[in-house]
Structures are given as C-alpha cells and as structure tokens.
mmCIF file of all heavy atoms in Angstrom:
data_model
loop_
_atom_site.group_PDB
_atom_site.id
_atom_site.type_symbol
_atom_site.label_atom_id
_atom_site.label_comp_id
_atom_site.label_asym_id
_atom_site.label_seq_id
_atom_site.Cartn_x
_atom_site.Cartn_y
_atom_site.Cartn_z
ATOM 1 N N HIS A 33 0.862 -1.244 -0.038
ATOM 2 C CA HIS A 33 -0.031 -0.027 -0.040
ATOM 3 C C HIS A 33 0.892 1.259 -0.014
ATOM 4 O O HIS A 33 0.508 2.292 -0.447
ATOM 5 C CB HIS A 33 -0.941 -0.015 1.232
ATOM 6 C CG HIS A 33 -2.186 -0.838 1.098
ATOM 7 N ND1 HIS A 33 -2.830 -1.364 2.101
ATOM 8 C CD2 HIS A 33 -2.728 -1.381 -0.102
ATOM 9 C CE1 HIS A 33 -3.842 -2.160 1.636
ATOM 10 N NE2 HIS A 33 -3.863 -2.271 0.285
ATOM 11 N N SER A 34 2.033 1.131 0.563
ATOM 12 C CA SER A 34 2.955 2.272 0.563
ATOM 13 C C SER A 34 4.438 1.752 0.421
ATOM 14 O O SER A 34 4.639 0.600 0.767
ATOM 15 C CB SER A 34 2.746 3.184 1.740
ATOM 16 O OG SER A 34 3.407 2.543 2.816
ATOM 17 N N LYS A 35 5.355 2.774 0.091
ATOM 18 C CA LYS A 35 6.779 2.330 0.026
ATOM 19 C C LYS A 35 7.326 2.020 1.434
ATOM 20 O O LYS A 35 8.402 1.368 1.442
ATOM 21 C CB LYS A 35 7.563 3.498 -0.614
ATOM 22 C CG LYS A 35 7.082 3.757 -2.048
ATOM 23 C CD LYS A 35 7.823 4.922 -2.585
ATOM 24 C CE LYS A 35 7.360 5.354 -3.978
ATOM 25 N NZ LYS A 35 8.050 6.507 -4.588
ATOM 26 N N ASP A 36 6.618 2.351 2.401
ATOM 27 C CA ASP A 36 7.044 2.039 3.724
ATOM 28 C C ASP A 36 6.626 0.759 4.370
ATOM 29 O O ASP A 36 7.013 0.442 5.525
ATOM 30 C CB ASP A 36 6.662 3.258 4.769
ATOM 31 C CG ASP A 36 7.192 4.573 4.265
ATOM 32 O OD1 ASP A 36 8.342 4.564 3.836
ATOM 33 O OD2 ASP A 36 6.542 5.676 4.418
ATOM 34 N N ASP A 37 5.660 0.145 3.736
ATOM 35 C CA ASP A 37 5.183 -1.122 4.243
ATOM 36 C C ASP A 37 6.400 -2.167 4.393
ATOM 37 O O ASP A 37 7.080 -2.329 3.497
ATOM 38 C CB ASP A 37 4.088 -1.756 3.234
ATOM 39 C CG ASP A 37 2.766 -1.079 3.256
ATOM 40 O OD1 ASP A 37 2.650 -0.157 4.097
ATOM 41 O OD2 ASP A 37 1.938 -1.374 2.542
ATOM 42 N N LYS A 38 6.292 -2.852 5.587
ATOM 43 C CA LYS A 38 7.309 -3.837 5.820
ATOM 44 C C LYS A 38 6.944 -5.178 5.182
ATOM 45 O O LYS A 38 7.815 -5.926 4.843
ATOM 46 C CB LYS A 38 7.392 -4.057 7.365
ATOM 47 C CG LYS A 38 7.858 -2.689 8.088
ATOM 48 C CD LYS A 38 9.292 -2.466 7.774
ATOM 49 C CE LYS A 38 9.817 -1.287 8.548
ATOM 50 N NZ LYS A 38 9.131 -0.012 8.347
ATOM 51 N N ARG A 39 5.586 -5.451 5.024
ATOM 52 C CA ARG A 39 5.161 -6.760 4.460
ATOM 53 C C ARG A 39 4.235 -6.484 3.300
ATOM 54 O O ARG A 39 3.531 -5.585 3.326
ATOM 55 C CB ARG A 39 4.621 -7.497 5.609
ATOM 56 C CG ARG A 39 5.564 -8.033 6.601
ATOM 57 C CD ARG A 39 4.746 -8.996 7.600
ATOM 58 N NE ARG A 39 5.638 -9.540 8.624
ATOM 59 C CZ ARG A 39 5.210 -10.287 9.651
ATOM 60 N NH1 ARG A 39 3.960 -10.745 9.661
ATOM 61 N NH2 ARG A 39 6.128 -10.766 10.432
ATOM 62 N N PRO A 40 4.164 -7.408 2.333
ATOM 63 C CA PRO A 40 3.243 -7.293 1.319
ATOM 64 C C PRO A 40 1.894 -7.965 1.723
ATOM 65 O O PRO A 40 1.700 -8.382 2.848
ATOM 66 C CB PRO A 40 3.895 -8.159 0.144
ATOM 67 C CG PRO A 40 4.605 -9.241 0.942
ATOM 68 C CD PRO A 40 5.149 -8.534 2.158
ATOM 69 N N GLY A 41 0.990 -8.027 0.737
ATOM 70 C CA GLY A 41 -0.255 -8.616 1.045
ATOM 71 C C GLY A 41 -0.111 -10.156 1.404
ATOM 72 O O GLY A 41 0.798 -10.727 1.212
ATOM 73 N N TRP A 42 -1.266 -10.554 1.983
ATOM 74 C CA TRP A 42 -1.229 -11.955 2.672
ATOM 75 C C TRP A 42 -0.888 -13.119 1.779
ATOM 76 O O TRP A 42 -0.439 -14.225 2.238
ATOM 77 C CB TRP A 42 -2.485 -12.239 3.466
ATOM 78 C CG TRP A 42 -3.743 -12.193 2.673
ATOM 79 C CD1 TRP A 42 -4.510 -11.102 2.472
ATOM 80 C CD2 TRP A 42 -4.320 -13.301 1.931
ATOM 81 N NE1 TRP A 42 -5.648 -11.522 1.702
ATOM 82 C CE2 TRP A 42 -5.526 -12.765 1.421
ATOM 83 C CE3 TRP A 42 -4.031 -14.607 1.803
ATOM 84 C CZ2 TRP A 42 -6.392 -13.606 0.617
ATOM 85 C CZ3 TRP A 42 -4.933 -15.369 0.999
ATOM 86 C CH2 TRP A 42 -6.039 -14.870 0.377
ATOM 87 N N TRP A 43 -1.115 -12.968 0.408
ATOM 88 C CA TRP A 43 -0.893 -14.177 -0.601
ATOM 89 C C TRP A 43 0.196 -13.644 -1.571
ATOM 90 O O TRP A 43 0.060 -14.144 -2.794
ATOM 91 C CB TRP A 43 -2.126 -14.657 -1.133
ATOM 92 C CG TRP A 43 -2.105 -16.159 -1.240
ATOM 93 C CD1 TRP A 43 -1.221 -17.037 -0.711
ATOM 94 C CD2 TRP A 43 -3.063 -16.987 -1.861
ATOM 95 N NE1 TRP A 43 -1.558 -18.388 -0.887
ATOM 96 C CE2 TRP A 43 -2.632 -18.351 -1.670
ATOM 97 C CE3 TRP A 43 -4.283 -16.780 -2.574
ATOM 98 C CZ2 TRP A 43 -3.447 -19.399 -2.251
ATOM 99 C CZ3 TRP A 43 -4.956 -17.766 -3.081
ATOM 100 C CH2 TRP A 43 -4.550 -19.092 -2.954
ATOM 101 N N ASP A 44 1.069 -12.837 -1.270
ATOM 102 C CA ASP A 44 1.990 -12.313 -2.286
ATOM 103 C C ASP A 44 2.788 -13.391 -2.736
ATOM 104 O O ASP A 44 3.461 -13.224 -3.860
ATOM 105 C CB ASP A 44 2.933 -11.162 -1.528
ATOM 106 C CG ASP A 44 3.590 -10.367 -2.612
ATOM 107 O OD1 ASP A 44 2.921 -9.491 -3.183
ATOM 108 O OD2 ASP A 44 4.834 -10.526 -2.767
ATOM 109 N N THR A 45 3.110 -14.467 -1.995
ATOM 110 C CA THR A 45 3.927 -15.495 -2.472
ATOM 111 C C THR A 45 3.252 -16.152 -3.777
ATOM 112 O O THR A 45 4.023 -16.744 -4.442
ATOM 113 C CB THR A 45 4.001 -16.658 -1.351
ATOM 114 O OG1 THR A 45 2.661 -17.059 -0.962
ATOM 115 C CG2 THR A 45 4.707 -16.182 -0.194
ATOM 116 N N CYS A 46 1.947 -16.012 -3.980
ATOM 117 C CA CYS A 46 1.325 -16.722 -5.049
ATOM 118 C C CYS A 46 0.723 -15.770 -6.121
ATOM 119 O O CYS A 46 0.393 -16.218 -7.239
ATOM 120 C CB CYS A 46 0.268 -17.594 -4.609
ATOM 121 S SG CYS A 46 0.721 -19.033 -3.697
ATOM 122 N N ILE A 47 0.706 -14.509 -5.906
ATOM 123 C CA ILE A 47 0.141 -13.473 -6.814
ATOM 124 C C ILE A 47 1.118 -12.473 -7.280
ATOM 125 O O ILE A 47 1.701 -11.801 -6.466
ATOM 126 C CB ILE A 47 -1.138 -12.721 -6.101
ATOM 127 C CG1 ILE A 47 -2.186 -13.723 -5.703
ATOM 128 C CG2 ILE A 47 -1.684 -11.729 -7.020
ATOM 129 C CD1 ILE A 47 -3.304 -13.142 -4.815
ATOM 130 N N GLY A 48 1.337 -12.374 -8.552
ATOM 131 C CA GLY A 48 2.232 -11.464 -9.127
ATOM 132 C C GLY A 48 2.645 -11.920 -10.474
ATOM 133 O O GLY A 48 2.458 -12.983 -10.961
ATOM 134 N N PRO A 49 3.456 -10.957 -11.164
ATOM 135 C CA PRO A 49 4.050 -11.373 -12.462
ATOM 136 C C PRO A 49 4.993 -12.583 -12.379
ATOM 137 O O PRO A 49 5.893 -12.603 -11.607
ATOM 138 C CB PRO A 49 4.841 -10.058 -12.824
ATOM 139 C CG PRO A 49 4.235 -9.019 -12.061
ATOM 140 C CD PRO A 49 3.830 -9.573 -10.733
ATOM 141 N N GLY A 50 4.522 -13.625 -13.173
ATOM 142 C CA GLY A 50 5.335 -14.807 -13.252
ATOM 143 C C GLY A 50 5.147 -15.703 -12.048
ATOM 144 O O GLY A 50 5.686 -16.832 -11.985
ATOM 145 N N LYS A 51 4.334 -15.311 -11.127
ATOM 146 C CA LYS A 51 4.049 -16.363 -9.975
ATOM 147 C C LYS A 51 2.819 -17.237 -10.329
ATOM 148 O O LYS A 51 2.331 -17.322 -11.425
ATOM 149 C CB LYS A 51 3.607 -15.401 -8.671
ATOM 150 C CG LYS A 51 4.832 -14.646 -8.297
ATOM 151 C CD LYS A 51 4.454 -13.783 -6.958
ATOM 152 C CE LYS A 51 5.628 -12.941 -6.455
ATOM 153 N NZ LYS A 51 5.233 -12.162 -5.311
ATOM 154 N N VAL A 52 2.473 -17.973 -9.339
ATOM 155 C CA VAL A 52 1.451 -19.013 -9.529
ATOM 156 C C VAL A 52 0.249 -18.393 -10.139
ATOM 157 O O VAL A 52 -0.256 -19.007 -11.178
ATOM 158 C CB VAL A 52 1.040 -19.697 -8.072
ATOM 159 C CG1 VAL A 52 -0.172 -20.583 -8.299
ATOM 160 C CG2 VAL A 52 2.267 -20.504 -7.625
ATOM 161 N N ILE A 53 -0.245 -17.417 -9.618
ATOM 162 C CA ILE A 53 -1.400 -16.608 -10.161
ATOM 163 C C ILE A 53 -0.801 -15.483 -10.975
ATOM 164 O O ILE A 53 -0.498 -14.268 -10.379
ATOM 165 C CB ILE A 53 -2.476 -16.263 -9.127
ATOM 166 C CG1 ILE A 53 -2.845 -17.444 -8.342
ATOM 167 C CG2 ILE A 53 -3.671 -15.584 -9.858
ATOM 168 C CD1 ILE A 53 -3.672 -17.165 -7.096
ATOM 169 N N ASP A 54 -0.536 -15.582 -12.165
ATOM 170 C CA ASP A 54 0.377 -14.730 -12.981
ATOM 171 C C ASP A 54 -0.382 -13.429 -13.446
ATOM 172 O O ASP A 54 -1.310 -13.509 -14.277
ATOM 173 C CB ASP A 54 0.971 -15.458 -14.191
ATOM 174 C CG ASP A 54 1.995 -14.614 -14.831
ATOM 175 O OD1 ASP A 54 2.131 -13.528 -14.599
ATOM 176 O OD2 ASP A 54 2.704 -15.342 -15.709
ATOM 177 N N THR A 55 -0.041 -12.331 -12.852
ATOM 178 C CA THR A 55 -0.807 -11.173 -13.140
ATOM 179 C C THR A 55 -0.368 -10.589 -14.465
ATOM 180 O O THR A 55 -0.983 -9.525 -14.936
ATOM 181 C CB THR A 55 -0.594 -10.059 -12.001
ATOM 182 O OG1 THR A 55 0.801 -9.897 -11.740
ATOM 183 C CG2 THR A 55 -1.304 -10.404 -10.662
ATOM 184 N N ASN A 56 0.511 -11.173 -15.204
ATOM 185 C CA ASN A 56 0.677 -10.845 -16.584
ATOM 186 C C ASN A 56 -0.251 -11.502 -17.512
ATOM 187 O O ASN A 56 -0.511 -11.045 -18.676
ATOM 188 C CB ASN A 56 2.089 -11.378 -17.041
ATOM 189 C CG ASN A 56 3.241 -10.480 -16.455
ATOM 190 O OD1 ASN A 56 2.960 -9.387 -16.254
ATOM 191 N ND2 ASN A 56 4.446 -11.056 -16.287
ATOM 192 N N ARG A 57 -0.974 -12.418 -16.937
ATOM 193 C CA ARG A 57 -1.974 -13.245 -17.700
ATOM 194 C C ARG A 57 -3.380 -13.097 -17.128
ATOM 195 O O ARG A 57 -4.329 -13.253 -17.821
ATOM 196 C CB ARG A 57 -1.564 -14.650 -17.750
ATOM 197 C CG ARG A 57 -0.115 -14.875 -18.291
ATOM 198 C CD ARG A 57 0.238 -16.281 -18.251
ATOM 199 N NE ARG A 57 -0.322 -17.044 -19.472
ATOM 200 C CZ ARG A 57 -0.132 -18.337 -19.656
ATOM 201 N NH1 ARG A 57 0.551 -19.160 -18.859
ATOM 202 N NH2 ARG A 57 -0.586 -18.915 -20.660
ATOM 203 N N PHE A 58 -3.501 -12.896 -15.819
ATOM 204 C CA PHE A 58 -4.766 -12.832 -15.252
ATOM 205 C C PHE A 58 -5.066 -11.408 -14.684
ATOM 206 O O PHE A 58 -4.136 -10.717 -14.367
ATOM 207 C CB PHE A 58 -4.874 -13.838 -13.931
ATOM 208 C CG PHE A 58 -4.866 -15.299 -14.429
ATOM 209 C CD1 PHE A 58 -3.803 -16.034 -13.995
ATOM 210 C CD2 PHE A 58 -5.862 -15.828 -15.075
ATOM 211 C CE1 PHE A 58 -3.722 -17.449 -14.386
ATOM 212 C CE2 PHE A 58 -5.806 -17.180 -15.421
ATOM 213 C CZ PHE A 58 -4.733 -18.015 -14.984
ATOM 214 N N PHE A 59 -6.412 -11.189 -14.551
ATOM 215 C CA PHE A 59 -6.880 -9.965 -13.810
ATOM 216 C C PHE A 59 -7.500 -10.461 -12.527
ATOM 217 O O PHE A 59 -8.360 -11.192 -12.532
ATOM 218 C CB PHE A 59 -7.934 -9.355 -14.685
ATOM 219 C CG PHE A 59 -8.610 -8.129 -13.966
ATOM 220 C CD1 PHE A 59 -7.982 -6.923 -13.769
ATOM 221 C CD2 PHE A 59 -10.005 -8.236 -13.480
ATOM 222 C CE1 PHE A 59 -8.566 -5.813 -13.039
ATOM 223 C CE2 PHE A 59 -10.624 -7.147 -12.841
ATOM 224 C CZ PHE A 59 -9.829 -5.940 -12.637
ATOM 225 N N VAL A 60 -6.811 -10.159 -11.433
ATOM 226 C CA VAL A 60 -6.988 -10.811 -10.080
ATOM 227 C C VAL A 60 -7.896 -9.818 -9.288
ATOM 228 O O VAL A 60 -7.592 -8.648 -9.159
ATOM 229 C CB VAL A 60 -5.785 -11.137 -9.436
ATOM 230 C CG1 VAL A 60 -6.077 -11.759 -8.086
ATOM 231 C CG2 VAL A 60 -4.995 -12.081 -10.298
ATOM 232 N N VAL A 61 -8.936 -10.283 -8.735
ATOM 233 C CA VAL A 61 -9.664 -9.440 -7.830
ATOM 234 C C VAL A 61 -9.761 -10.122 -6.433
ATOM 235 O O VAL A 61 -10.021 -11.210 -6.317
ATOM 236 C CB VAL A 61 -11.297 -9.462 -8.314
ATOM 237 C CG1 VAL A 61 -12.135 -8.610 -7.436
ATOM 238 C CG2 VAL A 61 -11.292 -8.903 -9.820
ATOM 239 N N SER A 62 -9.497 -9.282 -5.425
ATOM 240 C CA SER A 62 -9.463 -9.671 -3.993
ATOM 241 C C SER A 62 -10.253 -8.700 -3.277
ATOM 242 O O SER A 62 -10.047 -7.580 -3.239
ATOM 243 C CB SER A 62 -8.055 -9.762 -3.545
ATOM 244 O OG SER A 62 -7.984 -10.243 -2.211
ATOM 245 N N LEU A 63 -11.202 -9.191 -2.410
ATOM 246 C CA LEU A 63 -12.088 -8.266 -1.750
ATOM 247 C C LEU A 63 -12.082 -8.665 -0.222
ATOM 248 O O LEU A 63 -11.763 -9.666 0.240
ATOM 249 C CB LEU A 63 -13.459 -8.427 -2.183
ATOM 250 C CG LEU A 63 -14.469 -9.542 -1.785
ATOM 251 C CD1 LEU A 63 -15.851 -9.156 -1.917
ATOM 252 C CD2 LEU A 63 -14.107 -10.688 -2.609
ATOM 253 N N ASN A 64 -12.526 -7.782 0.617
ATOM 254 C CA ASN A 64 -12.783 -7.963 1.976
ATOM 255 C C ASN A 64 -14.323 -8.255 2.103
ATOM 256 O O ASN A 64 -15.170 -7.469 1.663
ATOM 257 C CB ASN A 64 -12.482 -6.640 2.854
ATOM 258 C CG ASN A 64 -12.696 -6.750 4.333
ATOM 259 O OD1 ASN A 64 -13.116 -5.884 5.041
ATOM 260 N ND2 ASN A 64 -12.540 -8.008 4.858
ATOM 261 N N ASN A 65 -14.615 -9.497 2.657
ATOM 262 C CA ASN A 65 -16.067 -9.899 2.816
ATOM 263 C C ASN A 65 -16.905 -9.003 3.562
ATOM 264 O O ASN A 65 -16.354 -8.274 4.502
ATOM 265 C CB ASN A 65 -16.099 -11.341 3.370
ATOM 266 C CG ASN A 65 -15.738 -12.337 2.268
ATOM 267 O OD1 ASN A 65 -15.790 -12.060 1.033
ATOM 268 N ND2 ASN A 65 -15.303 -13.508 2.736
ATOM 269 N N LEU A 66 -18.145 -9.074 3.400
ATOM 270 C CA LEU A 66 -19.149 -8.337 4.231
ATOM 271 C C LEU A 66 -18.978 -8.898 5.665
ATOM 272 O O LEU A 66 -18.816 -10.079 5.855
ATOM 273 C CB LEU A 66 -20.540 -8.636 3.706
ATOM 274 C CG LEU A 66 -21.115 -7.716 2.547
ATOM 275 C CD1 LEU A 66 -22.491 -8.282 2.202
ATOM 276 C CD2 LEU A 66 -21.139 -6.321 3.013
ATOM 277 N N GLY A 67 -19.113 -8.072 6.692
ATOM 278 C CA GLY A 67 -18.975 -8.358 7.966
ATOM 279 C C GLY A 67 -17.585 -8.185 8.417
ATOM 280 O O GLY A 67 -17.141 -8.462 9.619
ATOM 281 N N GLY A 68 -16.654 -7.896 7.405
ATOM 282 C CA GLY A 68 -15.152 -7.741 7.764
ATOM 283 C C GLY A 68 -14.959 -6.500 8.483
ATOM 284 O O GLY A 68 -15.770 -5.642 8.778
ATOM 285 N N CYS A 69 -13.611 -6.278 8.793
ATOM 286 C CA CYS A 69 -13.284 -5.077 9.570
ATOM 287 C C CYS A 69 -12.127 -4.352 8.805
ATOM 288 O O CYS A 69 -11.292 -3.584 9.550
ATOM 289 C CB CYS A 69 -12.956 -5.457 10.905
ATOM 290 S SG CYS A 69 -11.587 -6.683 11.059
ATOM 291 N N HIS A 70 -12.006 -4.497 7.495
ATOM 292 C CA HIS A 70 -10.988 -3.814 6.766
ATOM 293 C C HIS A 70 -11.526 -2.922 5.654
ATOM 294 O O HIS A 70 -10.886 -2.752 4.557
ATOM 295 C CB HIS A 70 -9.911 -4.850 6.177
ATOM 296 C CG HIS A 70 -9.165 -5.433 7.244
ATOM 297 N ND1 HIS A 70 -9.553 -6.726 7.909
ATOM 298 C CD2 HIS A 70 -7.970 -5.139 7.796
ATOM 299 C CE1 HIS A 70 -8.661 -7.076 8.718
ATOM 300 N NE2 HIS A 70 -7.666 -6.127 8.789
ATOM 301 N N GLY A 71 -12.659 -2.415 5.880
ATOM 302 C CA GLY A 71 -13.147 -1.421 4.934
ATOM 303 C C GLY A 71 -14.643 -1.782 4.377
ATOM 304 O O GLY A 71 -15.382 -0.826 4.160
ATOM 305 N N SER A 72 -14.896 -3.181 4.165
ATOM 306 C CA SER A 72 -16.246 -3.481 3.748
ATOM 307 C C SER A 72 -17.183 -3.201 4.903
ATOM 308 O O SER A 72 -16.731 -3.288 6.099
ATOM 309 C CB SER A 72 -16.285 -4.890 3.376
ATOM 310 O OG SER A 72 -15.509 -5.046 2.055
ATOM 311 N N THR A 73 -18.394 -3.125 4.665
ATOM 312 C CA THR A 73 -19.455 -2.961 5.713
ATOM 313 C C THR A 73 -19.525 -4.116 6.691
ATOM 314 O O THR A 73 -19.529 -5.328 6.298
ATOM 315 C CB THR A 73 -20.882 -2.795 5.013
ATOM 316 O OG1 THR A 73 -20.810 -1.620 4.207
ATOM 317 C CG2 THR A 73 -21.933 -2.479 6.161
ATOM 318 N N GLY A 74 -19.490 -3.823 8.013
ATOM 319 C CA GLY A 74 -19.320 -4.772 8.876
ATOM 320 C C GLY A 74 -19.829 -4.274 10.249
ATOM 321 O O GLY A 74 -20.372 -3.072 10.405
#
C-alpha cells in the first residue's frame, strides 16, 4: 500500500508477475467480505 510497508499482501507468495497466479496473464480481484473489519461494511 505504501513504500514504507514492511510486508506485502497476505498471498503475495502466489500472486504477481510470473508467480502461481500470474498477473501478466490474469486480472485478479481480491475483496474484504461483508462483515469484515478492513473497509467493507461490517
């Protein structure tokens, strides 16, 4: 989210260019579910 972040997103090991879920080939959507506490209504 910023250049100061110490850690990437929770599944960064698998999502990215050339990774398991290759973002050079896929359009990836990740959301916070309803009832959550990271921005979605809860």
